[in-house]
Amino acid sequence: MTQVRKRHTVAIVGAGAAGALTAVQLCETATRRRTPLDVVLVDPAPEAGRGTAYATPDPRHRLNVPAGNMSAYPDEPGHFTRWLCRHGEASVTAADFATRYRYGAYLADTLGQAVVRAHGTVAVRRLRTRAESCTGTPDGRVELRLADGGQLTADAAVLATGPAGATAAWAPPALRDSPRFVGEPWAPGALDGAREGTDDVLLVGTGLTAVDLALTLDRPGRTVHALSRSGLLPQPHALRPAGVMTAPDGLDDTSLGRLRRAVYRHLSRSVRTHGDWRPGLDSLRPHTVRLWRSLTPEEREEFLAREGALWNTHRHRMAPATAEHVSRARTARRLHVHTGTVVRATANEDGTLAVELSGGRTLRVGWVVDCTGPGRRLDDPLWASLLASGAAVHGPLGMGAATRDGRLLDAHGRTGLPLFTLGFPRRGELWETTAIPEIRVQAAELAQQLLAPLTPKPRASRRPVDGHGLALTTHAEAAAAYRTGLDRVLRVRSGAEDAFARSVALDPGFALGHAALALLGHECSAAVDVPRALADAQRCARERADERERSFVDVISRRVTGDDGDEALVRHLGEHPGDALALAAAVPTIAFSGVSDLQDDEALGLLELTSPAYDGHWFHTSLLAFLRQGQGRLHEAGELAHRALAVEPASGHAVHALAHVHYESGAHEAGRDWLDRWVSGRGRGAVHRAHFSWHIALHELALDDPAAVRRRWFAQLAPGRVTGMRALVDSGSLLWRARLSDSWQGELPTADVLDSVGREVLERPATAFTALHAAVALTAAGDLAALRRLRDHAAGADPVQREVVAPLCEAFAALVEERFKEAARGLDALLPVLRRVGGSAAQREVVEETLLYALVADGRCEAARRLLDARLDRKPAPRDRRLLAALPG
């Protein structure tokens, strides 16, 4: 009899940022592992993800962390900035500070997307009520009693309750009882009275809450007073990063006194080196928890008393825009900051308050707002019940709760009930635990911890394989979809992206499927969220993959990020020669840009290395044909291409090799006719059909048939018929080559090409090959400003872009400005190293043709004649003969 797998239930008490992030991680981790799970969010708030921090609709309330550090995922740093770009903020950067309300919308949407993706594996529901107590059950579960009278039994519960409430213990009783005292300023409607009129306001506390409320309550005719024991406002973030530092040595095994001296020396060094203390302080962040734990209880108390306020004001900073608002308000004397405490408060006849401060000054204010922040002790009914029963105990220094790796410790110091927490309740244990960068890591760790006992051990069964016999860590249905995608990549057919997407839809934990999607998005401009696919691939590889699959994911990760990707790919093929997708990515043909610095003999070495794994397979033969034509061994390349096509007539790689053979041998009429027939027949399903049309147009250009070129462009290469990278690489370069040889009369439709690509690709391309064609398209459009932005990007990118593309942009800019001598000099110097950008000789030939144009425009006809003679010696072309005949003298 088949045992029915029991669904596990996890209750998450609190649906603010910590609860939402925990739910996201549970949904996605359980889905990857195919672990059935029920998740119940318990929170009365109308929307998940906002909590108190991100519910404020005031647009002046901004995050105090740059967008680049606010991703919901610890291993996907750009997730929030990409979300902002997709939701109406296209110009946002990682250094910008979004509004708090916007971030709340992001968390809610991220949770919603995770719930949708998890459908069928994870069931998520919301209970809009509060949990007021918790007890254990005889079978080791927990039972939550809810404020609406209901009960919820769960296998485990995560208490994501956020900060403890403010106690207002500092306030005299008369002030606490006053209707003009606001003890919970973030409660709905709490500030309605204070917003009206122009009575002065006293904010008790000078932290980030006080800063936000000072902006909200600021208005002409009113003075906002802010009071704290230290009188310190949060420091502002720098307008731009000053630099990066590493933490100093000598932080371990030291007393608070020695640690204090080491930190101050480090900050002084930061100021001397960078002119700013912030790099030094930020370098301590990865070590803060360890350092806090190394201190004795007495040293921790001393730190809080002496450095607590100083640490908080420098560690938790204001956004630059917020700091500017505060500065303007202080300059205009609408904001006053005081040092001291409240001694007493009395009501005036007109309803205002007379508040006496410890320094002897008395303020006449209409409202007093508690901005002192959360208290040390967790005091809501749920925590009170757990502390009273001994199921939980206070954490170090009475802050938060005692935990072991996030699991609550009971009065005996043991992990009793299956109760977990994160964020503020771990403050006594971790100190720095209230910001999103810390909470998201804790959420991911909790998901791993909660699901670890539920993940079944893999059974010793035969795994499915790809089309070349390599084992796949997935089930048969997902493997079949992956094989379809791989086959379409190898044959250069459309539908590979859909097949790979289907493989991960069938098995969200399939690392290779995600990695293949990331590769297609990065190299082929497929409609893939590349960072997301890559992050999914990395997560899956850590959880469920063999050594070959982990190696391939690492290769794609490095390739996308530019971190030694080419060398990693070559190493991978040395260990796994039968990995056809890796081989396709390594050898530059039509599908991928290949290893950028791979010379012909090295590429052939790769094919020789991998040859035994393919045993004459048509795909391997097709790649060899393409490399042979690149060596100029055209006859041999043609024979290999025909041999591959005899086995697989739809092999795009073999067709591509044959197209180059025809072009480089000058067989323009035969090449045009043969390729035109293939495109109309077997090539109908080719994914790079536009590139084959480009090859036909090259023959038509060489045959000096401008009318045919124009017809071909509008019928098969105009944007709308061609999109993305193909529009840039094929359509854009063809227009420029047609203009250079007087084969296109009238205005070039380059604007259509540029509009179809997007500024990110044009001005910040990921590869040197893309950058070359971006430079060509921008030159054809005469867009000097964008060309210079591309140059600046290339100057700070990978070595090939720095050493080849950046000077190429300079030469093209000289051409646009009709400084033809400089243009010709720059282009001529680059011809010997142009091969480094990748692609084929036929594609790189556009630079040689631009040089020819510059030489003629500069009046250097003899140099132009030598160049044309060399071209005609390589291959005959009626167009080049016409250009040669037209040269004066």
Side-chain angles (χ1 to χ4, degrees):
M1 182 175 178
T2 303
Q3 183 178 1
V4 178
R5 193 171 176 185
K6 176 180 171 292
R7 292 183 72 89
H8 201 77
T9 298
V10 175
I12 301 176
V13 180
L21 291 174
T22 303
V24 167
Q25 291 290 342
L26 281 171
C27 285
E28 298 194 353
T29 306
T31 301
R32 287 195 302 273
R33 299 181 180 187
R34 290 177 281 173
T35 301
L37 186 68
D38 290 330
V39 174
V40 185
L41 282 162
V42 182
D43 194 307
E47 186 178 4
R50 292 201 179 277
T52 299
Y54 309 117
T56 168
D58 192 329
R60 292 167 295 187
H61 295 171
R62 294 191 171 270
L63 299 173
N64 62 307
V65 175
N69 291 335
M70 290 295 287
S71 168
Y73 300 95
D75 54 357
E76 197 178 343
H79 191 263
F80 179 43
T81 52
R82 297 200 312 279
W83 184 90
L84 288 170
C85 289
R86 290 195 302 268
H87 290 79
E89 299 184 39
S91 61
V92 72
T93 70
D96 290 332
F97 292 79
T99 66
R100 292 184 178 277
Y101 195 80
R102 199 80 165 127
Y103 189 71
Y106 161 71
L107 288 180
D109 186 56
T110 301
L111 175 58
Q113 294 294 326
V115 171
V116 170
R117 287 193 297 270
H119 180 70
T121 302
V122 182
V124 180
R125 61 191 175 106
R126 284 280 310 275
L127 297 179
R128 287 185 170 83
T129 185
R130 297 183 186 278
E132 295 196 326
S133 65
C134 177
T135 56
T137 65
D139 59 355
R141 306 170 83 197
V142 293
E143 185 173 271
L144 296 169
R145 281 184 287 279
L146 309 178
D148 62 5
Q151 293 182 338
L152 172 64
T153 302
D155 295 278
V158 177
L159 309 186
T161 52
T167 63
W170 56 268
L175 179 58
R176 285 199 300 270
D177 295 338
S178 170
R180 294 297 187 108
F181 177 70
V182 181
E184 297 182 30
W186 297 117
L191 295 175
D192 288 350
R195 284 193 176 96
E196 299 173 358
T198 58
D199 286 339
D200 290 354
V201 176
L202 172 62
L203 309 177
V204 180
T206 56
L208 291 169
T209 295
V211 167
D212 280 345
L213 296 186
L215 299 184
T216 295
L217 299 173
D218 179 32
R219 56 184 40 81
R222 161 181 285 173
T223 298
V224 176
H225 300 273
L227 170 74
S228 71
R229 293 179 184 277
S230 68
L232 297 175
L233 288 173
Q235 291 291 311
H237 279 280
L239 290 174
R240 57 187 58 85
V244 177
M245 292 185 72
T246 56
D249 296 329
L251 296 180
D252 295 310
D253 301 323
T254 185
S255 68
L256 177 60
R258 288 193 295 271
L259 178 60
R260 181 184 290 121
R261 290 190 292 272
V263 169
Y264 278 116
R265 282 196 302 269
H266 181 57
L267 296 181
S268 297
R269 186 162 53 250
S270 178
V271 172
R272 291 194 303 272
T273 305
H274 300 286
D276 193 345
W277 51 266
R278 292 172 183 83
L281 190 66
D282 291 344
S283 71
L284 301 177
R285 183 166 189 166
H287 309 278
T288 304
V289 170
R290 176 173 54 82
L291 296 176
W292 174 258
R293 284 176 162 171
S294 72
L295 300 177
T296 66
E298 294 75 19
E299 288 174 325
R300 293 180 188 178
E301 281 283 17
E302 181 186 345
F303 168 78
L304 292 178
R306 289 186 53 179
E307 278 92 19
L310 196 62
W311 172 268
N312 284 329
T313 56
H314 286 74
R315 173 68 184 79
H316 303 287
R317 304 169 204 149
M318 293 185 279
T322 303
E324 185 179 346
H325 279 294
V326 169
S327 178
R328 285 202 300 265
R330 297 189 76 177
T331 300
R333 304 187 66 78
R334 295 196 308 274
L335 173 63
H336 288 268
V337 180
H338 307 273
T339 302
T341 59
V342 173
V343 175
R344 66 179 55 85
T346 56
N348 297 315
E349 292 182 0
D350 61 357
T352 61
L353 296 169
V355 182
E356 183 182 341
L357 308 185
S358 56
R361 182 174 181 178
T362 298
L363 301 175
R364 184 187 183 95
V365 297
W367 301 87
V368 177
V369 184
D370 186 356
C371 301
T372 56
R376 282 195 180 190
R377 293 181 177 269
L378 301 164
D379 57 0
D380 74 351
L382 174 60
W383 281 106
S385 76
L386 291 170
L387 292 166
S389 68
V393 293
H394 290 295
L397 308 185
M399 295 192 297
T403 71
R404 180 179 300 146
D405 297 327
R407 184 164 181 174
L408 295 189
L409 297 178
D410 62 18
H412 304 287
R414 298 177 302 210
T415 53
L417 297 178
L419 295 172
F420 303 79
T421 193
L422 74 166
F424 181 88
R426 298 185 68 184
R427 192 167 181 234
E429 173 194 356
L430 305 177
W431 176 237
E432 285 289 342
T433 180
T434 58
I436 292 295
E438 283 78 34
I439 292 174
R440 66 190 179 193
V441 172
Q442 294 173 29
E445 291 172 348
L446 271 186
Q448 297 287 333
Q449 190 175 351
L450 287 162
L451 293 172
L454 310 179
T455 303
K457 295 181 179 179
R459 293 176 295 177
S461 59
R462 185 175 180 181
R463 291 190 291 164
V465 297
D466 68 7
H468 297 266
L470 298 181
L472 301 173
T473 307
T474 186
H475 54 70
E477 294 83 358
Y482 180 82
R483 283 194 297 272
T484 298
L486 178 59
D487 178 66
R488 289 176 179 172
V489 167
L490 302 188
R491 290 192 296 138
V492 197
R493 310 296 286 178
S494 61
E497 175 192 341
D498 291 340
F500 289 137
R502 190 164 64 254
S503 75
V504 297
L506 290 166
D507 180 6
F510 182 29
L512 279 191
H514 291 295
L517 283 171
L519 177 63
L520 290 186
H522 176 66
E523 296 262 347
C524 307
S525 295
V528 174
D529 184 342
V530 174
R532 176 71 192 190
L534 192 59
D536 282 336
Q538 293 165 341
R539 293 164 190 150
C540 297
R542 287 194 295 268
E543 293 180 357
R544 174 165 59 88
D546 64 17
E547 189 278 329
R548 189 221 16 137
E549 292 166 322
R550 287 193 298 272
S551 174
F552 183 80
V553 169
D554 179 63
V555 164
I556 302 307
S557 301
R558 292 175 180 273
R559 196 164 179 81
V560 169
T561 60
D563 179 19
D564 190 27
D566 288 348
E567 291 186 19
L569 179 53
V570 172
R571 286 196 302 271
H572 175 83
L573 282 168
E575 297 170 3
H576 309 283
D579 194 330
L581 187 54
L583 184 61
V587 179
T589 58
I590 187 173
F592 303 109
S593 60
V595 175
S596 58
D597 284 334
L598 202 63
Q599 302 298 317
D600 285 340
D601 56 344
E602 293 171 316
L604 286 167
L606 268 185
L607 288 184
E608 290 173 4
L609 173 70
T610 57
S611 180
Y614 293 89
D615 192 25
H617 191 277
W618 59 264
F619 167 65
H620 197 272
T621 303
S622 300
L623 296 184
L624 183 57
F626 187 81
L627 291 182
R628 289 301 188 208
Q629 66 79 27
Q631 291 180 300
R633 296 163 64 171
L634 301 180
H635 180 72
E636 184 179 351
E639 288 187 343
L640 289 167
H642 282 297
R643 186 189 308 167
L645 288 168
V647 179
E648 177 48 77
S651 170
H653 289 298
V655 171
H656 191 215
L658 202 53
H660 279 277
V661 168
H662 285 140
Y663 183 72
E664 300 298 341
S665 63
H668 298 301
E669 291 183 354
R672 175 197 62 193
D673 296 342
W674 183 88
L675 194 51
D676 207 5
R677 287 194 301 272
W678 186 85
V679 167
S680 302
R682 294 278 188 180
R684 285 184 180 276
V687 68
H688 295 295
R689 203 157 172 246
H691 188 63
F692 295 118
S693 296
W694 175 82
H695 270 282
I696 302 171
L698 281 193
H699 287 305
E700 291 166 341
L701 265 180
L703 291 167
D704 213 14
D705 190 348
V709 172
R710 200 177 186 94
R711 286 194 302 272
R712 182 79 54 187
W713 198 88
F714 282 110
Q716 298 176 356
L717 290 163
R721 299 182 181 279
V722 183
T723 59
M725 284 298 300
R726 290 268 68 103
L728 178 66
V729 172
D730 298 325
S731 309
S733 68
L734 179 67
L735 282 178
W736 181 235
R737 292 170 81 153
R739 167 54 59 84
L740 291 173
S741 60
D742 297 324
S743 298
W744 191 286
Q745 301 302 315
E747 183 179 356
L748 283 181
T750 50
D752 295 338
V753 174
L754 299 183
D755 290 344
S756 72
V757 178
R759 287 287 161 182
E760 181 72 22
V761 173
L762 287 169
E763 297 178 14
R764 293 180 292 277
T767 67
F769 178 76
T770 303
L772 163 66
H773 286 86
V776 168
L778 293 172
T779 302
D783 192 340
L784 269 174
L787 196 56
R788 285 176 175 140
R789 287 192 293 270
L790 173 61
R791 174 204 60 195
D792 293 342
H793 163 80
D798 58 82
V800 180
Q801 292 202 53
R802 288 198 304 271
E803 297 162 16
V804 182
V805 175
L808 183 67
C809 290
E810 293 279 9
F812 280 162
L815 186 80
V816 173
E817 293 180 321
E818 298 186 358
R819 294 182 283 114
F820 298 117
K821 187 180 295 296
E822 293 176 42
R825 186 187 309 119
L827 294 171
D828 188 51
L830 287 169
L831 287 183
V833 297
L834 198 61
R835 184 186 189 90
R836 295 179 63 195
V837 303
S840 66
Q843 288 170 316
R844 298 189 298 268
E845 198 175 50
V846 66
V847 177
E848 184 183 68
E849 292 176 359
T850 308
L851 170 61
L852 177 62
Y853 177 87
L855 290 172
V856 174
D858 192 42
R860 297 169 59 190
C861 296
E862 191 56 39
R865 183 174 288 105
R866 289 195 298 271
L867 182 55
L868 279 168
D869 284 337
R871 285 168 60 89
L872 287 166
D873 284 344
R874 290 201 307 268
K875 55 178 178 285
R879 177 200 53 188
D880 286 355
R881 285 197 293 268
R882 171 177 62 81
L883 294 174
L884 182 62
L887 289 174

